[in-house]
Amino acid sequence: MHIPPNWGTFFALIVSFLVFWFIFSRLFFRPFLNLLSERERRFKDLNDRTELLIKQAREAEAERESRLAEVRKGAIARREAERRKAEAEATEMMERAKAEAREALEQVRVKIEAELKAAERELEQMGHSLASELAERVLGRPLNSGAATGKNN
């Protein structure tokens, strides 16, 4: 059995399909596709912006690390210079203290030698006077100091 096509219905269906396609395309498909393409564009822009910000953050971090390294180097150099300066000052102070101690020691040594010589002279004089006094007592008479010295020499 063969059913003949109904061309009127067929064309009505085609026309109605095209009309609905046009209406749905204008009202639903294009706005939805535009919305999807706009969303995709925004995501792409956000992705590009994110990558740019990440790149800038990495560059900023690298620059910060570089500056921090420079600051550390400068601080280490200043600390080392201050340490050397303090060591030099300490060495100078030690040398000055040693020199002052040597000078004070030398002054004390000279003073002691002078006192020792004075004590030796005093002891020698005391020894002579004691010897004279002892000789006078033993002899029982006063000694003539000028005659005694002339006879002893």
Side-chain angles (χ1 to χ4, degrees):
M1 161 163 145
H2 182 294
I3 302 178
N6 186 349
W7 293 106
T9 307
F10 179 72
F11 284 121
L13 284 174
I14 295 285
V15 168
S16 67
F17 175 76
L18 291 175
V19 168
F20 282 119
W21 179 261
F22 179 75
I23 292 172
F24 276 95
S25 169
R26 289 271 183 169
L27 293 177
F28 297 114
F29 296 142
R30 279 189 194 154
F32 183 70
L33 291 175
N34 288 341
L35 180 68
L36 286 179
S37 66
E38 177 64 24
R39 182 178 175 197
E40 184 178 336
R41 185 191 60 75
R42 282 196 332 230
F43 279 138
K44 185 177 184 274
D45 289 346
L46 285 174
N47 189 31
D48 292 345
R49 179 75 176 143
T50 303
E51 288 176 7
L52 178 65
L53 289 175
I54 289 172
K55 181 181 175 186
Q56 288 174 348
R58 286 181 184 150
E59 290 173 356
E61 180 68 20
E63 185 174 338
R64 185 187 68 84
E65 288 295 327
S66 171
R67 286 184 182 172
L68 187 60
E70 288 176 17
V71 167
R72 284 181 182 150
K73 284 179 187 177
I76 289 171
R78 283 192 305 274
R79 182 179 67 196
E80 188 64 26
E82 289 296 322
R83 185 188 60 80
R84 277 191 239 117
K85 181 180 175 185
E87 284 178 356
E89 288 176 0
T91 303
E92 182 181 326
M93 288 174 65
M94 290 293 287
E95 290 301 319
R96 265 196 317 246
K98 285 179 184 178
E100 288 173 2
R102 275 188 237 118
E103 185 178 316
L105 189 61
E106 184 63 26
Q107 288 175 355
V108 168
R109 187 185 64 77
V110 166
K111 185 178 177 183
I112 289 174
E113 283 180 5
E115 287 177 359
L116 185 62
K117 285 182 183 179
E120 283 176 354
R121 275 186 255 123
E122 189 179 324
L123 193 59
E124 188 177 326
Q125 287 174 357
M126 212 185 261
H128 285 301
S129 87
L130 281 176
S132 295
E133 192 178 316
L134 186 62
E136 286 177 357
R137 282 188 186 182
V138 168
L139 294 175
R141 64 176 175 87
L143 292 176
N144 186 356
S145 59
T149 50
K151 291 181 184 175
N152 287 343
N153 288 340

